Amino acid sequence: MGITHDVVFPVTVSGSDDSGLSFVDVDLKGPHGGFYTTDAFCESATTCTTAFTVNAHPAPGSDDPVDLANANAGTWSVDALADANDGESVFAPRVGSFSLKRAAQLTVNASPEPVTKGARITVTGKLVRANWDTYRYAGYAGQTVQLQFRPKDSSTYTTVAAVKSSSTGTLRATVKAVKDGYWRWNFTGTTTTGPAKATGDYVDVRP
């Protein structure tokens, strides 16, 4: 979840009753009071699907905060109350769960370009993540980020080093130039923040 666009996703509740399912109420509950609720008529006797719109940006034309705060990132649970056509109902607390995470972004720059074989290349970059309290991206400090390399004639990246991001999210590593190829940073994510990969930066290595 970033800071500019709504994210819409479905939640489907499946079940059975002799008379068939007719209606469902669904609640999503997250850390520190995170909450969404919606309901829907069932599209079949055993399946009911409803959609949630989640956002972490100000409402159009307003400076008021909307919906999500940083503290709401993490594991969310799903409660469902299903009604049957004969008037019976069943409540299923914590029937499902999912992760709602702050979006991350990575940049990369490898230099010099071109470079002589055997010389040193400096690879820099920055790891940032969405701040749902300020509606901006900010540096993500103290995170382990992988430096990866893909040879020009390959489709596979290999991790060559692991670097901790600085207090402002910056990254820096120095490596030896061996062959032509692409350098990138790769962040695998945390319990509150999603993964991110930088677009590979090509370096031409010359004899």
Side-chain angles (χ1 to χ4, degrees):
M1 186 78 210
I3 55 172
T4 57
H5 297 93
D6 293 350
V7 173
V8 181
F9 61 91
V11 174
T12 300
V13 177
S14 299
S16 62
D17 183 85
D18 291 343
S19 65
L21 302 181
S22 64
F23 196 78
V24 67
D25 286 288
V26 180
D27 294 339
L28 309 183
K29 298 178 180 179
H32 298 276
F35 183 78
Y36 287 90
T37 185
T38 190
D39 51 46
F41 288 99
C42 301
E43 62 266 30
S44 75
T46 59
T47 304
C48 318
T49 300
T50 185
F52 287 85
T53 300
V54 179
N55 55 64
H57 56 84
S62 169
D63 292 329
D64 294 333
V66 175
D67 290 336
L68 291 174
N70 289 339
N72 301 140
T75 300
W76 286 56
S77 62
V78 183
D79 294 350
L81 174 65
D83 297 330
N85 288 310
D86 60 8
E88 294 182 343
S89 63
V90 61
F91 177 60
R94 302 184 68 86
V95 70
S97 65
F98 64 97
S99 293
L100 188 60
K101 298 185 177 185
R102 296 160 64 178
Q105 296 178 350
L106 271 170
T107 59
V108 65
N109 182 60
S111 63
E113 305 173 55
V115 64
T116 302
K117 185 175 181 178
R120 309 297 284 182
I121 299 171
T122 299
V123 186
T124 58
K126 189 170 185 178
L127 172 65
V128 298
R129 64 172 172 169
N131 187 320
W132 294 344
D133 295 334
T134 63
Y135 317 117
R136 291 178 172 83
Y137 278 87
Y140 195 8
Q143 301 304 305
T144 300
V145 183
Q146 300 167 343
L147 177 63
Q148 299 183 326
F149 177 71
R150 174 171 70 87
K152 183 172 109 172
D153 56 356
S154 171
S155 60
T156 303
Y157 276 95
T158 301
T159 299
V160 297
V163 175
K164 287 274 191 180
S165 58
S166 74
S167 60
T168 59
T170 59
L171 302 160
R172 183 183 181 90
T174 301
V175 293
K176 183 181 291 188
V178 177
K179 62 177 70 172
D180 295 348
Y182 300 84
W183 294 91
R184 75 176 184 187
W185 295 104
N186 177 52
F187 175 59
T188 58
T190 66
T191 57
T192 61
T193 305
K197 291 183 177 70
T199 301
D201 186 17
Y202 182 76
V203 175
D204 178 17
V205 178
R206 299 181 178 180

